[in-house]
Amino acid sequence: IFRFQAEKNPIYKSYLDCLGVIPNEVKQINQIPYLPIEFFKKENVVCESKNIKAVFTSSGTSGVQSKHLVSDVGIYEKSFTSGFEHFYGNIKDYTILALLPSYIERFGSSLIYMCEKLIKNSEKNESGFYLNEHQELSNLLLELEGQNRKTLLIGVSFALLDFVEKHPVKLKNTIVMETGGMKGKREEMVREQLHSILCKHFNVPKIHSEYGMTELLSQAYSKGNGVFESPPWMRVSCRDANDPLSNNKQSGGINIIDLANINSCSFIASQDLGKINENNTFEVLGRFDSSDIRGCNLMVV
């Protein structure tokens, strides 16, 4: 994939040329340069641009949207479906309730696309999106709990807080999953504080998290304590904050290999700061200074 993208992706090819990297001389994974994620804001990071089937865009909280041109949405669908089932099992076992108002209200969200397909694939009549129908959502959660139904409540952080502060519910069969970010709706808070509030009001022992972004076609998941695990086709490592070409550090800037990004760039240097644990799980610790707060599961420290 590296050799293919080094030849076919004009932006990545130019970046490698500027670094003086000769693709044929790259023999190991740790020799592969990661493309700074900022390029998605300014350029079309794509190998073949003639048959684009979808354009996913970021929320653009800073005023500049990232855009990801996707030529085969089937690869994205296979990635997020296989990724979810890798960690949580058959999607048909769940009722999916999505509380994502900031995403529903704009066009081009890859998260909305993912949730739409998961909702459809769950084949449950109760699955669906919620905007501000908090009382209706509360009633449905209680009804599903009464039926001992496995349920996934996935929501952006501020929306989960707005909901549960007015409608605290005791959940036993429901997974509460936050996608991060206050989207300027509420004051940012550290993950521990957010999860503590949500655990208390939902009466659950752990809050799950999803780690994804516009520039990726795969997601990592945390089943508690902000410790994330990637699917087999996604690998996370860290670089030295002062050396963008370094890799395999225990902590620093997060680098991501996403093999689902076959027609864009599979090697992304994100603006997130994190650390890698011994079992190859990872944690997101914050963001580089001056980078915009956007995307899924981006919390400040």
Side-chain angles (χ1 to χ4, degrees), residues 26 47 52 59 61 80 121 154 283:
V26 173
C47 297
I52 301 303
S59 57
T61 306
F80 67 64
N121 293 341
I154 180 171
E283 300 175 46

Side-chain angles (χ1 to χ4, degrees), residues 80-81 84-86 88-96 114-115 117-124 127 150 152:
F80 67 64
T81 301
F84 180 88
E85 295 190 340
H86 177 76
Y88 292 99
N90 195 332
I91 187 65
K92 294 181 181 180
D93 293 338
Y94 293 86
T95 300
I96 311 293
M114 179 181 80
C115 288
K117 294 298 181 180
L118 293 180
I119 286 170
K120 180 181 178 180
N121 293 341
S122 73
E123 300 181 356
K124 300 292 191 302
S127 293
K150 291 178 68 173
L152 170 66

Side-chain angles (χ1 to χ4, degrees), residues 27-296:
K27 305 298 183 181
Q28 299 177 354
I29 289 179
N30 59 15
Q31 295 176 317
I32 296 176
Y34 290 76
L35 184 72
I37 202 169
E38 292 85 353
F39 277 98
F40 283 84
K41 293 182 179 180
K42 303 174 182 178
E43 308 289 348
N44 292 334
V45 183
V46 63
C47 297
E48 174 57 65
S49 59
K50 294 181 180 179
N51 297 303
I52 301 303
K53 297 299 190 296
V55 178
F56 295 129
T57 57
S58 67
S59 57
T61 306
S62 66
V64 181
Q65 287 182 304
S66 291
K67 59 183 183 299
H68 191 174
L69 279 62
V70 179
S71 61
D72 188 348
V73 292
I75 293 177
Y76 181 43
E77 293 175 8
K78 185 175 182 179
S79 176
F80 67 64
T81 301
S82 299
F84 180 88
E85 295 190 340
H86 177 76
F87 295 109
Y88 292 99
N90 195 332
I91 187 65
K92 294 181 181 180
D93 293 338
Y94 293 86
T95 300
I96 311 293
L97 308 178
L99 186 59
L100 302 164
S102 60
Y103 294 90
I104 291 177
E105 295 166 333
R106 69 174 183 85
F107 179 77
S109 166
S110 58
L111 179 62
I112 290 296
Y113 188 96
M114 179 181 80
C115 288
E116 282 181 339
K117 294 298 181 180
L118 293 180
I119 286 170
K120 180 181 178 180
N121 293 341
S122 73
E123 300 181 356
K124 300 292 191 302
N125 292 332
E126 298 88 349
S127 293
F129 287 95
Y130 287 83
L131 187 59
N132 298 308
E133 307 90 347
H134 288 177
Q135 186 61 61
E136 181 181 346
L137 176 59
S138 177
N139 293 342
L140 179 56
L141 281 170
L142 291 174
E143 178 182 340
L144 294 171
E145 283 288 328
Q147 298 173 7
N148 293 319
R149 296 263 295 274
K150 291 178 68 173
T151 304
L152 170 66
L153 173 61
I154 180 171
V156 64
S157 299
F158 80 84
L160 288 173
L161 285 171
D162 288 347
F163 166 71
V164 80
E165 286 175 352
K166 296 179 181 179
H167 300 277
V169 290
K170 293 185 176 181
L171 303 176
K172 293 182 179 180
N173 304 299
T174 301
I175 294 172
V176 180
M177 180 182 292
E178 53 91 2
T179 67
M182 294 300 181
K183 301 297 179 184
K185 303 291 186 179
R186 296 176 64 132
E187 182 179 352
E188 292 286 341
M189 63 177 67
V190 297
R191 173 184 52 78
E192 289 82 2
Q193 181 183 6
L194 171 69
H195 284 203
S196 176
I197 294 172
L198 294 178
C199 283
K200 177 181 178 181
H201 286 76
F202 281 117
N203 194 42
V204 294
K206 300 287 184 182
I207 299 297
H208 294 226
S209 305
E210 180 258 2
Y211 179 82
M213 57 188 72
T214 300
E215 301 84 357
L216 302 178
L217 295 182
S218 301
Q219 302 77 32
Y221 290 96
S222 165
K223 293 187 176 182
N225 300 320
V227 178
F228 289 90
E229 186 175 353
S230 304
W233 56 92
M234 177 183 180
R235 180 179 296 184
V236 174
S237 59
C238 283
R239 66 185 183 275
D240 190 314
N242 298 313
D243 182 2
L245 298 183
S246 64
N247 200 13
N248 293 329
K249 301 295 181 180
Q250 185 175 358
S251 62
I254 290 181
N255 286 342
I256 303 165
I257 298 177
D258 182 5
L259 299 186
N261 276 15
I262 181 62
N263 198 47
S264 54
C265 184
S266 292
F267 312 95
I268 303 298
S270 79
Q271 279 291 335
D272 295 332
L273 292 166
K275 72 173 183 177
I276 308 299
N277 300 318
E278 291 183 358
N279 57 358
N280 289 324
T281 60
F282 69 97
E283 300 175 46
V284 181
L285 303 179
R287 294 182 61 77
F288 282 99
D289 291 340
S290 78
S291 62
D292 57 309
I293 298 175
R294 63 95 181 99
C296 307

